[in-house]
Amino acid sequence: MSNLPNCPKCNSTYTYEDGNMYVCPECAHEWSKDAVVESADEQRVVKDAYGTVLQDGDAVTVIKDLKVKGSSSVVKVGTKVKSIRIVEGDHDIDCKIDGIGAMQLKSEFVKKA
């Protein structure tokens, strides 16, 4: 096994050296051997529709009617969601909505309450 670092973008283990650069064949990310790799402990910044930074435990309000996939239910405008959790992925808020249950929301459709 080699001592090459994992890709900082996709965490692939298949990186290789190319001169003074590391290259990831899976996502095509290239970075310098001298580059300081950001720690994985840093959380990414998630902002609501108005640019306010959201954190775990915040309360948010839905700003648009949202259809619930696989159901005829709709999350109405003004629905307040308490105790959100920031997660990785396309839908970056994990929450529980009264009357609907656990679901994921995109931060672009909420505002901090």
Side-chain angles (χ1 to χ4, degrees), residues 10 25-26 32-33 38 42 50 57 64 74 85-86 88 94 108:
C10 71
E26 292 185 6
S32 171
K33 290 181 181 180
E38 295 178 20
E42 289 184 29
Y50 300 102
K64 178 183 175 185
V74 176
R85 199 169 50 119
I86 306 299
E88 293 291 324
D94 201 13
E108 63 197 61

Side-chain angles (χ1 to χ4, degrees), residues 2-108:
S2 66
N3 292 332
L4 297 175
N6 290 353
C7 175
K9 191 170 184 182
C10 71
N11 205 27
S12 171
T13 58
Y14 300 111
T15 57
Y16 62 90
E17 291 181 72
D18 185 20
N20 64 343
M21 302 285 283
Y22 291 121
V23 180
C24 175
E26 292 185 6
C27 70
H29 181 66
E30 297 179 1
W31 69 103
S32 171
K33 290 181 181 180
D34 303 333
V36 177
V37 178
E38 295 178 20
S39 79
D41 298 335
E42 289 184 29
Q43 293 198 5
R44 66 176 220 196
V45 177
V46 176
K47 297 182 180 182
D48 69 1
Y50 300 102
T52 307
V53 176
L54 298 173
Q55 298 176 351
D56 287 347
D58 283 346
V60 296
T61 305
V62 177
I63 63 168
K64 178 183 175 185
D65 282 346
L66 302 172
K67 295 179 182 178
V68 179
K69 190 173 184 178
S71 173
S72 61
S73 302
V74 176
V75 179
K76 296 285 188 181
V77 171
T79 302
K80 190 168 184 178
V81 181
K82 301 176 189 174
S83 300
I84 65 168
R85 199 169 50 119
I86 306 299
V87 294
E88 293 291 324
D90 186 32
H91 292 73
D92 35 26
I93 297 174
D94 201 13
C95 62
K96 187 183 277 187
I97 299 177
D98 293 337
I100 296 177
M103 65 183 310
Q104 292 185 328
L105 300 172
K106 290 186 177 184
S107 59
E108 63 197 61

